[in-house]
Amino acid sequence: MNIIRSIIFLLIVLWLFFKNTGLMKIIIIPFIVCGLAIMGKNICLLMNKNKYANIFSKLYVITFLVFCFGFLIWVDYSTIKNNQYGFTIFTIPFWLIGIYAVRKKLFKTNKESVIKPIMSKFNFSVVVGCFLIGITLIIGIVCLFIGITETYKSNEIAKDYITTDGYFSDYTIYNSDEDGITYELIYTYTVNGEEYTISTNYGTNHIPEENSIREVKYNPNNPDEAILVGTNDKNFLIYFGAFFTLGAMAFIIVILQTKGVFDKVKIDVVGLYFGIVFFIIGVGIILFQNGTTSSFLETIKSLGLWILIPILFIIVGLIQTIKCLFFKQTK
């Protein structure tokens, strides 16, 4: 299962690597190395080659730490350059965690260290870790709340709108930088013989076929007021919030597991949670992309062979969920 997960992770980061250009490609390289290291470690463990597994484990740790410190340096440089010192201060806990991780993972410490008595009273890693998990969870919940609230308001406004077909007619450049070009799609709809246009409020790198259909809801009293049915900028907030919330909850559940909270539970709670999360991610990717197209077939065309990634997520998630629910867990 660990090897399958690492393969899925590698497929995702390789897809992102070939989809992007410039700086984004450089950022993705450490994730590719980490993915290869995890896969190599698990293969070596499967073959009982513990010595080589330790080498891959060290490679993963070093690559991850290099990426983290490089990212922190870039963030601090950008914030100081733009006089946003508040963000620079916010990175201090991450620097401390990184330094602590280097000390713990790469260097053997003296057990009689003067710091040890202090750390026994004040567990630095636990406090900072809990702080970061809490911040991540709060960010996720806030994004979910705003996204769901704004979606509800939009639905309330459009509940009396009339649905019609909008035909893809043109596009404009939404954003263009070293990471690539995204497009704002323009759809045309007709009301009482008069044509109107509406555009997406987000950028996409997929341009649909000419005259492909997408549903439009318009105000019967003012046809110029309309919304596109499906994915919009508010959905981005919901998906972003869900990602942060599920990620933070994963850490919380793992911590509870290590503390023995689930010892009396007959099922593998952690495995079940990750199975459900994998399934949600797979379904979410397809639904999100489907919301930007006119049909499921066009969704498959827009993803191409990369449709295999969410399908693999769904399959692995289902297998993991079934295994945790119906098969007795091993200690």
Side-chain angles (χ1 to χ4, degrees):
M1 290 301 296
N2 287 333
I3 293 171
I4 291 172
R5 291 190 191 103
S6 61
I7 290 173
I8 293 173
F9 176 78
L10 269 174
L11 287 172
I12 293 172
V13 293
L14 285 172
W15 174 65
L16 292 172
F17 179 80
F18 289 112
K19 276 282 185 179
N20 291 280
T21 56
L23 179 62
M24 187 56 67
K25 273 197 171 186
I26 298 174
I27 293 173
I28 294 170
I29 289 173
F31 290 92
I32 296 175
V33 177
C34 285
L36 289 170
I38 293 172
M39 187 171 66
K41 175 187 174 182
N42 288 320
I43 292 172
C44 290
L45 289 174
L46 191 67
M47 300 170 65
N48 293 321
K49 302 290 184 180
N50 294 334
K51 182 180 178 181
Y52 295 107
N54 289 331
I55 294 173
F56 278 112
S57 182
K58 289 291 184 183
L59 174 63
Y60 171 82
V61 171
I62 292 170
T63 304
F64 183 76
L65 290 174
V66 167
F67 169 77
C68 288
F69 283 115
F71 181 75
L72 286 172
I73 291 170
W74 177 78
V75 170
D76 286 344
Y77 170 76
S78 300
T79 53
I80 292 171
K81 183 179 179 182
N82 296 317
N83 298 321
Q84 297 175 335
Y85 300 107
F87 287 102
T88 306
I89 295 172
F90 182 73
T91 63
I92 292 176
F94 295 93
W95 276 105
L96 295 175
I97 290 174
I99 294 169
Y100 178 79
V102 170
R103 177 178 172 273
K104 185 176 181 181
K105 297 290 185 181
L106 300 181
F107 298 99
K108 292 182 178 180
T109 56
N110 184 4
K111 292 184 178 180
E112 302 299 326
S113 173
V114 179
I115 299 176
K116 189 174 180 181
I118 301 173
M119 294 299 288
S120 63
K121 297 179 182 179
F122 180 78
N123 197 326
F124 172 79
S125 61
V126 172
V127 172
V128 177
C130 290
F131 169 76
L132 294 177
I133 293 171
I135 291 293
T136 304
L137 184 61
I138 291 170
I139 292 173
I141 292 173
V142 169
C143 289
L144 275 174
F145 176 78
I146 295 173
I148 293 171
T149 302
E150 292 298 319
T151 300
Y152 175 77
K153 288 179 181 178
S154 297
N155 291 338
E156 282 294 304
I157 293 172
K159 66 179 181 180
D160 296 324
Y161 282 15
I162 297 174
T163 303
T164 187
D165 290 335
Y167 297 89
F168 173 69
S169 56
D170 201 358
Y171 63 88
T172 58
I173 294 177
Y174 182 83
N175 187 34
S176 178
D177 52 28
E178 65 274 6
D179 297 327
I181 301 175
T182 55
Y183 305 97
E184 187 178 73
L185 309 179
I186 300 173
Y187 289 83
T188 302
Y189 61 100
T190 304
V191 179
N192 298 326
E194 188 172 349
E195 286 191 348
Y196 299 88
T197 59
I198 184 173
S199 59
T200 57
N201 52 13
Y202 59 87
T204 178
N205 55 7
H206 170 67
I207 300 175
E209 296 178 2
E210 189 176 354
N211 289 326
S212 61
I213 300 173
R214 189 166 167 186
E215 285 189 348
V216 175
K217 284 189 173 183
Y218 67 90
N219 185 351
N221 299 318
N222 184 10
D224 198 38
E225 295 178 6
I227 61 169
L228 281 168
V229 177
T231 300
N232 52 53
D233 57 346
K234 301 172 185 65
N235 297 144
F236 279 96
L237 271 178
I238 294 175
Y239 284 104
F240 185 78
F243 174 78
F244 271 74
T245 303
L246 291 172
M249 288 302 299
F251 281 103
I252 293 171
I253 289 174
V254 169
I255 291 170
L256 293 176
Q257 174 85 347
T258 59
K259 295 297 180 182
V261 175
F262 306 125
D263 284 353
K264 294 183 179 180
V265 181
K266 294 182 179 181
I267 62 173
D268 181 3
V269 176
V270 175
L272 177 63
Y273 179 79
F274 279 100
I276 294 172
V277 169
F278 267 59
F279 180 79
I280 291 173
I281 291 173
V283 173
I285 292 172
I286 293 175
L287 290 178
F288 184 83
Q289 188 68 18
N290 189 57
T292 66
T293 59
S294 58
S295 65
F296 187 72
L297 181 60
E298 190 176 340
T299 299
I300 296 174
K301 288 181 180 179
S302 66
L303 289 172
L305 289 176
W306 301 111
I307 188 68
L308 294 175
I309 292 177
I311 290 174
L312 284 173
F313 267 101
I314 293 171
I315 293 171
V316 172
L318 283 174
I319 293 172
Q320 180 76 359
T321 302
I322 292 169
K323 185 185 78 170
C324 294
L325 285 175
F326 300 104
F327 294 90
K328 187 177 180 180
Q329 64 171 330
T330 56
K331 293 297 182 181

